[in-house]
Amino acid sequence: FDAYMSHFARDAVWQTRVGTRLEGTTAIRSYLEEFTCSVEGHRVEFLEFVDLGGGVTLWVARQGGRPGGSASELLEHVAFATVFVDGLAESMTTYSDIDEARAAAERLAEERG
């Protein structure tokens, strides 16, 4: 977690796809630790990375694992629209709909010039 968290600004904000707003690296790290510990064999495979300019990126990933000790595996695609300032993620929004994420990230990039 230390290596991953080193890419976030101290006051970063992460809007999860279920509507939870996480503010600051302590809240983000706590959420990630809780989530990954609740999914046995959790893994993430990044499928696409696009730098849209203006510090805006789009990440598309497939993640999976067995939630709550279930025998069934959950596999889903997610996308992250992220704004970087001075090399650190300041805001990130997670989407289940890849097209919606791409459109949102493109709007952000356009706004930021």
Side-chain angles (χ1 to χ4, degrees), residues 2 4 16 18 26 39-40 48-51 59 64-66 68 74 76 78-79 97 99 102-103 105 108 112-113:
D2 290 339
Y4 184 70
T16 71
V18 296
T26 300
V39 179
E40 188 178 328
E48 179 181 2
F49 171 81
V50 182
D51 182 345
W59 303 73
R66 291 182 305 282
L74 169 70
E76 65 180 352
V78 293
D97 182 316
D99 292 331
R102 190 176 311 280
L108 274 171
R112 294 178 57 84

Side-chain angles (χ1 to χ4, degrees), residues 36-58:
T36 57
C37 288
S38 71
V39 179
E40 188 178 328
H42 180 260
R43 66 190 181 288
V44 177
E45 176 187 1
F46 288 99
L47 305 172
E48 179 181 2
F49 171 81
V50 182
D51 182 345
L52 297 165
V56 178
T57 63
L58 173 72

Side-chain angles (χ1 to χ4, degrees), residues 53-94:
V56 178
T57 63
L58 173 72
W59 303 73
V60 178
R62 178 176 39 223
Q63 65 179 359
R66 291 182 305 282
S70 170
S72 299
E73 184 172 27
L74 169 70
L75 185 62
E76 65 180 352
H77 286 86
V78 293
F80 307 90
T82 308
V83 175
F84 286 87
V85 175
D86 296 328
L88 296 174
E90 286 214 340
S91 68
M92 182 164 68
T93 303
T94 308

